[in-house]
Structure formats: C-alpha cells, structure tokens
Amino acid sequence: MKTCQNLTFAILVSLVLSATPLLAEDLFGVSSHLWKPVEDVVYLQEVSQKIATEQPVQSVAALNGACYFLSGDAIYELKEGSATRMPSTPRGTKRLLQEDGRLWALAESGLYRLGNETWRMIDDREFVDLCMHLGVLHAATREDIYRLEGDALVDVKPEGGWLSSDITVVMEDGSQVLADPVRLGPIHRIDSYSGTLYALRPGHLVLLDGRIVNKDIIDWGAMPSPTTRDMLALGSRLFVSTDKGLAVLRGMALTSLKGADGLPYEDLT
C-alpha cells in the first residue's frame, strides 16, 4: 500500500514539473509589448585621453575654453589634443590661476597676466594666492594683501596698521596697546566667503573685520590638523584641506569631513 502511495506521488510531481514550462510560456509568451528595448551602445563617460609630459604637471587653469598647465619651467596650452609650449614663461612660475576672466601666473619674479599670448608683469613681488572679493581682484604675498586698482596693486592695510581681536589689549577709549604690530601673515591662501575676506595661515583661519585681524571666533571649533594645505570658498561653505581631513566652515561653525574612502582631502586646487 505504501509503495503504491509513493508511486502515485512521484507521478503527480512529474506531471507538475513537466507542465511548468507550458504554464510559463502561456503567462509570459506575449506577442506584442507596450515597451521597446533600449539599444545597447558604448558608454563613453570612461573614455579619456592621456597627454604625456616629460615632467610632472604642477598647476592647471582654464580660460575661454582653453586649458593651460605648468610643467617644469614652462607653461603649455592644450590645442587639438596636443600640448603646445607657450613662447615665454615668467621666471620661477609656481601657480596658474583664472580670476576676473583672466589668466594669471604667480612666479618668484612677480605677478603676471596673460594678454594676446604674452605674459605682462603687473607687480614684481612674489604672491601666493589670488581671489575675487566684492568684485575686485585681491592678491596676497606671505605678509600682506593687496587689491587691484587699474594695473596697480594697493595694500589693504589700514592707516595706522591692523588691530587685534584680543579684548585684553583694548583700552576704555577703544584704542589698543600692542606690544608688537598685528601681522596678517604668514599667509598661505586667501578667499572671499560670505562677503568677508579670509586668510589661511598654517593651522588656522583669520578674517578681516574692518581694521581688525580676527582670529578668536569661539564658534569655529578646531582644525582636524595644524597642517593645512589649501582653501576654497564654494557657495555657503568654506573648505580647508589638511593632512587629516577636510574642515568645512558653515556660517561660523567649523566641522571636519573625510572622503568616501575614509582618506583625507589634501588638495583643492
């Protein structure tokens, strides 16, 4: 009796399994569709072009649809997929920047501006950074900040010098007793954020508040590391890269970020 039951069960299972493809064909074997398959074409996002250089590329800038880069002691322009060396390069060029709709070269021998394929010296001092602030180009040396007026750079330092944000040196009449003059430097980068000019010193930020060099904003928080690399204002945030993460200033609150891979951001240029 048991053997007969097992045989009957096996026959039923066999019939069900053999009928499954037929049922599936009836359910999904539609002759007409309301959709059309998308053509499978090559995805071109990952296709790139490589341009070899004899020496490492140190700085890159773009202007009017053209790309310029600094490699070794020469500046090159990318034309039709190949690099063309410009006729002349300012001596000791360290950075290329595009500001105010113009291309600038920051060199040991001075500040240069490109015009008609020729580099023109604007100032013979060595500058470390440029930025647009309130519609005016500003340039920084290691110790001072200047604004461009015509073709001349004018020091933004107020008459009588900078004042400190340290309230312990402020007298009753508002004057200050300073043992040493207040310095802006050593300046590494400058940028304009929320209508205020900021300077990045090694390890911390300062802002220019009228005549005051303000470095005592209690809400800022601390940098991830005293080893700062670069600074960039972008929309409502000011980014500072360090060797241990990215500091982000929102309003007057300073927080720290790291990349999606957990590694620090170090270069914002």
Side-chain angles (χ1 to χ4, degrees):
M1 184 67 180
K2 186 175 182 180
T3 302
C4 184
Q5 290 177 345
N6 291 339
L7 180 59
T8 302
F9 177 76
I11 293 173
L12 290 174
V13 171
S14 177
L15 290 173
V16 170
L17 292 178
S18 62
T20 300
L22 297 176
L23 293 174
E25 184 176 352
D26 292 337
L27 291 174
F28 302 105
V30 182
S31 59
S32 61
H33 302 279
L34 299 178
W35 49 267
K36 294 182 179 180
V38 177
E39 182 182 0
D40 188 9
V41 295
V42 178
Y43 188 49
L44 298 178
Q45 181 175 343
E46 302 301 327
V47 176
S48 62
Q49 180 184 10
K50 295 183 179 180
I51 300 174
T53 59
E54 294 182 359
Q55 299 185 55
V57 175
Q58 301 157 280
S59 184
V60 179
L63 177 67
N64 298 329
C67 182
Y68 300 83
F69 66 89
L70 174 66
S71 179
D73 59 354
I75 297 175
Y76 296 81
E77 180 182 2
L78 289 181
K79 291 182 177 180
E80 299 179 355
S82 63
T84 303
R85 181 168 179 161
M86 300 191 71
S88 62
T89 299
R91 178 176 56 84
T93 299
K94 295 182 177 180
R95 296 182 69 197
L96 297 176
L97 292 173
Q98 188 275 111
E99 295 288 350
D100 196 22
R102 300 174 179 180
L103 188 65
W104 303 83
L106 281 60
E108 295 176 354
S109 53
L111 177 65
Y112 296 80
R113 185 175 64 204
L114 182 64
N116 298 323
E117 299 297 320
T118 302
W119 291 102
R120 177 188 175 191
M121 178 185 284
I122 303 300
D123 195 285
D124 61 1
R125 285 166 288 200
E126 184 176 354
F127 289 83
V128 297
D129 202 13
L130 306 175
C131 78
M132 294 297 296
H133 176 59
L134 302 179
V136 179
L137 181 79
H138 285 65
T141 63
R142 289 285 290 175
E143 293 295 333
D144 299 292
I145 298 177
Y146 302 81
R147 65 176 178 270
L148 185 66
E149 297 183 0
D151 281 340
L153 288 168
V154 179
D155 197 339
V156 301
K157 181 186 296 183
E159 185 178 353
W162 297 106
L163 298 179
S164 173
S165 58
D166 184 358
I167 61 174
T168 64
V169 301
V170 180
M171 307 300 291
E172 292 183 357
D173 60 357
S175 62
Q176 295 189 2
V177 178
L178 302 171
D180 298 299
V182 176
R183 296 173 54 199
L184 270 180
I187 300 171
H188 181 56
R189 292 286 188 268
I190 60 171
D191 217 331
S192 179
Y193 168 65
S194 192
T196 303
L197 192 60
Y198 284 74
L200 177 63
R201 293 172 170 175
H204 65 278
L205 284 168
V206 299
L207 63 85
L208 301 187
D209 183 9
R211 294 185 58 190
I212 297 175
V213 178
N214 197 334
K215 59 183 181 64
D216 299 312
I217 305 298
I218 59 174
D219 294 336
W220 275 10
M223 289 283 183
S225 167
T227 305
T228 50
R229 308 288 198 190
D230 204 355
M231 179 169 66
L232 174 67
L234 185 62
S236 62
R237 295 172 292 182
L238 181 68
F239 298 90
V240 179
S241 61
T242 77
D243 63 341
K244 292 185 178 179
L246 186 65
V248 185
L249 183 64
R250 296 183 179 92
M252 286 297 162
L254 190 66
T255 55
S256 299
L257 295 177
K258 289 189 177 181
D261 54 3
L263 299 176
Y265 299 92
E266 295 189 2
D267 189 5
L268 299 179
T269 56

